[in-house]
Amino acid sequence: MNRYLKLVNFEFNRFFKLYIVLVIVTIIMQFFAVILESRGYMREANNVIYGDMMSKADFIKNYEAFTMQRVVQSNWFYCRLHYVSLFF
């Protein structure tokens, strides 16, 4: 049992740096996803509001409101992380 615990400790210490890097990359990519999706929504809102002369209330009524679900379902939130993990 002692050798098993030493082996587990060794393997954990060996991959710890890789796990930390993957966690940091995940956090950065998800933060980046929130910024990109919010800017995209604001760009779409500005184009519709100022281009079609629609009021902000009408825009919210006719188009979906910006929610966290929109960010979570975006490609930046999950799919890109799969590509990043392939490199490690």
Side-chain angles (χ1 to χ4, degrees), residues 28-61:
I28 290 171
M29 290 296 290
Q30 289 182 351
F31 187 71
F32 191 63
V34 171
I35 292 172
L36 284 179
E37 285 297 317
S38 64
R39 290 184 61 147
Y41 181 79
M42 289 305 297
R43 188 179 322 111
E44 178 185 0
N46 285 333
N47 288 341
V48 171
I49 290 170
Y50 296 116
D52 297 341
M53 297 299 181
M54 182 184 289
S55 70
K56 294 177 184 177
D58 288 338
F59 175 78
I60 296 294
K61 189 182 351 175

Side-chain angles (χ1 to χ4, degrees), residues 29-30 33 71-86:
M29 290 296 290
Q30 289 182 351
V71 175
V72 170
Q73 291 177 346
S74 72
N75 287 335
W76 285 101
F77 203 75
Y78 288 116
C79 295
R80 307 286 186 205
L81 296 177
H82 175 70
Y83 298 127
V84 169
S85 65
L86 290 177

Side-chain angles (χ1 to χ4, degrees), residues 2 5-6 9-10 13-14 18 23 25 27-28 32 34 39-40 48 55 68 75 80 87:
N2 192 15
L5 291 176
K6 283 183 181 181
N9 186 29
F10 173 75
N13 288 336
R14 190 172 81 156
L18 177 65
V23 166
V25 167
I27 290 170
I28 290 171
F32 191 63
V34 171
R39 290 184 61 147
V48 171
S55 70
M68 192 63 187
N75 287 335
R80 307 286 186 205
F87 293 115

Side-chain angles (χ1 to χ4, degrees), residues 6-19:
K6 283 183 181 181
L7 177 64
V8 169
N9 186 29
F10 173 75
E11 292 296 330
F12 180 75
N13 288 336
R14 190 172 81 156
F15 285 104
F16 184 72
K17 293 175 188 168
L18 177 65
Y19 293 147

